Amino acid sequence: MAQDAITVTPTDGACGALIEGVDLTQQLSAETVQAIRQAWLEHHVVVFPKQDISDDDLERFSLLMGDFAGDPYLPTIEGRDHIVELRRGANEQAPIFAEAWHTDWSFGENPPAATILHGITIPPQGGNTGFINQHKALAEMPPELRQRLEGKNALHSAKAAYAPDGLYGEREKDSDRAMKIIYSEDANKVQAHPIIRKHPETGEETLFGCFGYIIGIEGMEGDEEIQLLSDLYNWQTREEFQYSHRWEPGMVVMWDNRSVLHRANGGYEGYERVLHRTVVR
Ligand SMILES: [Fe+2]
């Protein structure tokens, strides 16, 4: 496939673009890699349809985008140090994994830049991945709310999800979840990040993170803190900033964790769903 035939078509949502004319099983030219990175920075979510790739291809493509960032709490698949499998059984009863809005591993000191997913077994309905453009949410934010957030640091933690008493902790010991999750005391750590910050690559202002992994605001407490977190959440998750991604088998999707929030959706009871994923810095 000619590498110069790459086309980028924006979705009709608030972010995201389809990239065609590239075959991720092949070595990509420096120009193609640059064009992909440019489209990713501009549209925040890029979708490569009809990619019949192996785990080797997924790893090779990931390394063109950055170094592997590593996944706390999710074990890698056998024989691979950098690929996590997102799997849900056809008749699984456990709550949908990652159904709350978040940005991947925002509770870390140096959160991943990109998450890359390869859709392997995709149900005929449901299972969309939702994205919300946080540059747009900030750009259109009422000045009054922005002023309350200006200069503030959010406190991020994985505790609500991955601590022993978290959502995926000991309470799941009898669960039928097909995916293995390794909960840990380590999840109780807290990391501060600015709520309004400049994107490290583009310098564009954006919001970073949301309630969930955000458990508080530095220097605030009580009702005032809860009110601000909730006003932020209600604004940054508005419908008009969203793009709902519909999966097809063989699709590869790469998003910018520094620019968007994302979440999983159910709605495919009776069907198995399997994706392979990497995260890079
Ligand atoms: Fe995620």
Side-chain angles (χ1 to χ4, degrees):
M1 189 180 289
Q3 296 289 333
D4 54 4
I6 178 169
T7 62
V8 178
T9 312
T11 71
D12 54 8
C15 55
L18 206 65
I19 298 188
E20 291 167 295
V22 55
D23 179 352
L24 301 181
T25 67
Q26 301 300 307
Q27 297 289 341
L28 304 181
S29 69
E31 291 75 24
T32 299
V33 172
Q34 185 53 32
I36 291 170
R37 190 164 199 101
Q38 205 50 48
W40 172 64
L41 290 173
E42 185 178 342
H43 301 284
H44 316 303
V45 181
V46 286
V47 177
F48 302 86
K50 300 185 177 67
Q51 299 289 339
D52 183 20
I53 64 168
S54 66
D55 285 336
D56 281 341
D57 296 327
L58 176 61
E59 288 189 344
R60 192 187 54 251
F61 173 63
S62 300
L63 285 171
L64 292 172
M65 296 297 134
D67 296 332
F68 289 120
D71 274 296
Y73 316 119
L74 302 178
T76 54
I77 60 176
E78 201 169 334
R80 300 277 164 180
D81 292 335
H82 305 288
I83 296 179
V84 161
E85 183 170 82
L86 304 180
R87 172 181 291 273
R88 188 170 174 85
N91 299 306
E92 193 173 318
Q93 298 300 307
I96 297 286
F97 176 68
E99 207 176 14
W101 292 113
H102 65 285
T103 178
D104 284 338
W105 309 148
S106 72
F107 45 80
E109 199 180 330
N110 183 15
T115 300
I116 304 170
L117 283 185
H118 174 220
I120 296 170
T121 305
I122 298 299
Q125 75 219 17
N128 280 21
T129 302
F131 295 98
I132 329 182
N133 183 339
Q134 295 301 286
H135 292 282
K136 191 170 166 66
L138 178 61
E140 296 176 21
M141 180 177 273
E144 171 273 333
L145 176 56
R146 181 177 171 133
Q147 211 211 314
R148 288 160 63 206
L149 294 166
E150 205 76 65
K152 296 246 172 16
N153 287 322
L155 301 171
H156 294 244
S157 172
K159 71 166 76 172
Y162 299 105
D165 60 353
L167 199 58
Y168 305 120
E170 278 156 10
R171 78 183 69 178
E172 285 217 333
K173 69 175 169 15
D174 298 321
S175 154
D176 67 345
R177 190 178 294 287
M179 253 178 85
K180 183 146 175 57
I181 298 174
I182 309 163
Y183 62 84
S184 164
E185 289 288 351
D186 194 60
N188 288 306
K189 283 193 209 153
V190 174
Q191 173 70 45
H193 293 292
I195 296 173
I196 298 174
R197 67 172 198 174
K198 286 203 159 79
H199 187 286
E201 264 183 271
T202 65
E204 305 258 348
E205 279 192 322
T206 186
L207 294 166
F208 184 66
C210 72
F211 179 74
Y213 285 157
I214 293 182
I215 56 163
I217 297 175
E218 214 167 53
M220 291 186 84
E221 56 184 18
D223 291 348
E224 194 194 13
E225 181 185 36
I226 291 165
Q227 191 61 55
L228 185 51
L229 279 177
S230 121
D231 289 349
L232 169 62
Y233 182 87
N234 289 336
W235 180 263
Q236 73 186 153
T237 57
R238 286 168 76 118
E239 187 77 33
E240 67 257 39
F241 308 137
Q242 296 189 21
Y243 161 56
S244 181
H245 175 69
R246 169 98 200 95
W247 284 90
E248 289 168 12
M251 264 179 176
V252 172
V253 174
M254 173 171 70
W255 66 84
D256 187 340
N257 277 298
R258 304 159 300 183
S259 296
V260 297
L261 298 173
H262 65 277
R263 74 170 173 198
N265 287 281
Y268 52 94
E269 295 75 12
Y271 295 96
E272 186 183 47
R273 184 172 185 269
V274 181
L275 301 94
H276 280 186
R277 153 179 140 158
T278 59
V279 283
V280 302
R281 297 207 192 287

PDB file of all heavy atoms in Angstrom, residues 21 23 28 33 35 40 152 216 218 248 278:
ATOM      1  N   GLY A  21      -5.438   4.601   4.245  1.00  0.00           N
ATOM      2  CA  GLY A  21      -4.280   4.610   3.341  1.00  0.00           C
ATOM      3  C   GLY A  21      -2.988   4.250   4.048  1.00  0.00           C
ATOM      4  O   GLY A  21      -1.899   4.552   3.564  1.00  0.00           O
ATOM      5  N   ASP A  23      -1.061   0.926   6.207  1.00  0.00           N
ATOM      6  CA  ASP A  23      -1.125  -0.488   6.575  1.00  0.00           C
ATOM      7  C   ASP A  23      -0.166  -0.715   7.750  1.00  0.00           C
ATOM      8  O   ASP A  23       1.051  -0.681   7.588  1.00  0.00           O
ATOM      9  CB  ASP A  23      -0.713  -1.329   5.357  1.00  0.00           C
ATOM     10  CG  ASP A  23      -0.733  -2.826   5.659  1.00  0.00           C
ATOM     11  OD1 ASP A  23      -0.905  -3.202   6.834  1.00  0.00           O
ATOM     12  OD2 ASP A  23      -0.560  -3.609   4.696  1.00  0.00           O
ATOM     13  N   LEU A  28       6.548   1.772   8.406  1.00  0.00           N
ATOM     14  CA  LEU A  28       6.018   3.070   7.978  1.00  0.00           C
ATOM     15  C   LEU A  28       7.169   4.048   7.758  1.00  0.00           C
ATOM     16  O   LEU A  28       8.142   4.047   8.516  1.00  0.00           O
ATOM     17  CB  LEU A  28       5.068   3.631   9.037  1.00  0.00           C
ATOM     18  CG  LEU A  28       3.882   2.739   9.435  1.00  0.00           C
ATOM     19  CD1 LEU A  28       3.016   3.451  10.476  1.00  0.00           C
ATOM     20  CD2 LEU A  28       3.049   2.334   8.230  1.00  0.00           C
ATOM     21  N   VAL A  33       4.712   8.421   9.666  1.00  0.00           N
ATOM     22  CA  VAL A  33       4.657   8.481  11.134  1.00  0.00           C
ATOM     23  C   VAL A  33       4.378   9.920  11.576  1.00  0.00           C
ATOM     24  O   VAL A  33       3.551  10.176  12.454  1.00  0.00           O
ATOM     25  CB  VAL A  33       5.967   7.958  11.762  1.00  0.00           C
ATOM     26  CG1 VAL A  33       5.993   8.196  13.266  1.00  0.00           C
ATOM     27  CG2 VAL A  33       6.133   6.468  11.449  1.00  0.00           C
ATOM     28  N   ALA A  35       2.878  12.247   9.832  1.00  0.00           N
ATOM     29  CA  ALA A  35       1.495  12.612   9.453  1.00  0.00           C
ATOM     30  C   ALA A  35       0.499  12.036  10.463  1.00  0.00           C
ATOM     31  O   ALA A  35      -0.492  12.687  10.825  1.00  0.00           O
ATOM     32  CB  ALA A  35       1.184  12.120   8.039  1.00  0.00           C
ATOM     33  N   TRP A  40      -3.077  12.926  15.071  1.00  0.00           N
ATOM     34  CA  TRP A  40      -3.407  12.547  16.457  1.00  0.00           C
ATOM     35  C   TRP A  40      -3.406  13.783  17.370  1.00  0.00           C
ATOM     36  O   TRP A  40      -4.307  13.976  18.187  1.00  0.00           O
ATOM     37  CB  TRP A  40      -2.376  11.506  16.900  1.00  0.00           C
ATOM     38  CG  TRP A  40      -2.377  11.091  18.320  1.00  0.00           C
ATOM     39  CD1 TRP A  40      -3.378  10.441  18.980  1.00  0.00           C
ATOM     40  CD2 TRP A  40      -1.302  11.258  19.260  1.00  0.00           C
ATOM     41  NE1 TRP A  40      -2.981  10.192  20.284  1.00  0.00           N
ATOM     42  CE2 TRP A  40      -1.718  10.678  20.480  1.00  0.00           C
ATOM     43  CE3 TRP A  40      -0.028  11.819  19.185  1.00  0.00           C
ATOM     44  CZ2 TRP A  40      -0.910  10.663  21.619  1.00  0.00           C
ATOM     45  CZ3 TRP A  40       0.784  11.798  20.315  1.00  0.00           C
ATOM     46  CH2 TRP A  40       0.342  11.229  21.511  1.00  0.00           C
ATOM     47  N   LYS A 152      -5.309  25.964  40.196  1.00  0.00           N
ATOM     48  CA  LYS A 152      -5.559  24.893  41.177  1.00  0.00           C
ATOM     49  C   LYS A 152      -4.965  23.551  40.709  1.00  0.00           C
ATOM     50  O   LYS A 152      -4.969  23.242  39.517  1.00  0.00           O
ATOM     51  CB  LYS A 152      -7.062  24.727  41.392  1.00  0.00           C
ATOM     52  CG  LYS A 152      -7.725  25.958  42.008  1.00  0.00           C
ATOM     53  CD  LYS A 152      -8.235  25.625  43.373  1.00  0.00           C
ATOM     54  CE  LYS A 152      -8.760  26.766  44.211  1.00  0.00           C
ATOM     55  NZ  LYS A 152      -9.076  28.020  43.638  1.00  0.00           N
ATOM     56  N   GLY A 216      -9.759  15.082  44.957  1.00  0.00           N
ATOM     57  CA  GLY A 216      -9.810  16.323  45.713  1.00  0.00           C
ATOM     58  C   GLY A 216      -9.050  17.425  45.001  1.00  0.00           C
ATOM     59  O   GLY A 216      -8.489  17.215  43.923  1.00  0.00           O
ATOM     60  N   GLU A 218      -6.163  20.429  45.802  1.00  0.00           N
ATOM     61  CA  GLU A 218      -5.155  20.853  46.787  1.00  0.00           C
ATOM     62  C   GLU A 218      -5.576  22.162  47.458  1.00  0.00           C
ATOM     63  O   GLU A 218      -5.968  23.109  46.769  1.00  0.00           O
ATOM     64  CB  GLU A 218      -3.829  21.068  46.048  1.00  0.00           C
ATOM     65  CG  GLU A 218      -2.606  20.722  46.844  1.00  0.00           C
ATOM     66  CD  GLU A 218      -1.374  20.656  45.948  1.00  0.00           C
ATOM     67  OE1 GLU A 218      -1.105  21.631  45.213  1.00  0.00           O
ATOM     68  OE2 GLU A 218      -0.701  19.620  45.973  1.00  0.00           O
ATOM     69  N   GLU A 248     -15.304  -1.607  14.936  1.00  0.00           N
ATOM     70  CA  GLU A 248     -15.437  -2.714  13.977  1.00  0.00           C
ATOM     71  C   GLU A 248     -14.236  -3.636  14.216  1.00  0.00           C
ATOM     72  O   GLU A 248     -13.178  -3.160  14.639  1.00  0.00           O
ATOM     73  CB  GLU A 248     -15.359  -2.208  12.530  1.00  0.00           C
ATOM     74  CG  GLU A 248     -16.573  -1.418  12.105  1.00  0.00           C
ATOM     75  CD  GLU A 248     -16.324  -0.691  10.781  1.00  0.00           C
ATOM     76  OE1 GLU A 248     -15.315  -0.982  10.095  1.00  0.00           O
ATOM     77  OE2 GLU A 248     -17.144   0.181  10.458  1.00  0.00           O
ATOM     78  N   THR A 278      -1.926  -1.151  24.326  1.00  0.00           N
ATOM     79  CA  THR A 278      -0.627  -0.693  24.822  1.00  0.00           C
ATOM     80  C   THR A 278      -0.787   0.749  25.312  1.00  0.00           C
ATOM     81  O   THR A 278      -1.721   1.452  24.896  1.00  0.00           O
ATOM     82  CB  THR A 278       0.469  -0.698  23.735  1.00  0.00           C
ATOM     83  OG1 THR A 278       0.052   0.164  22.666  1.00  0.00           O
ATOM     84  CG2 THR A 278       0.724  -2.102  23.200  1.00  0.00           C
TER      85      THR A 278
END
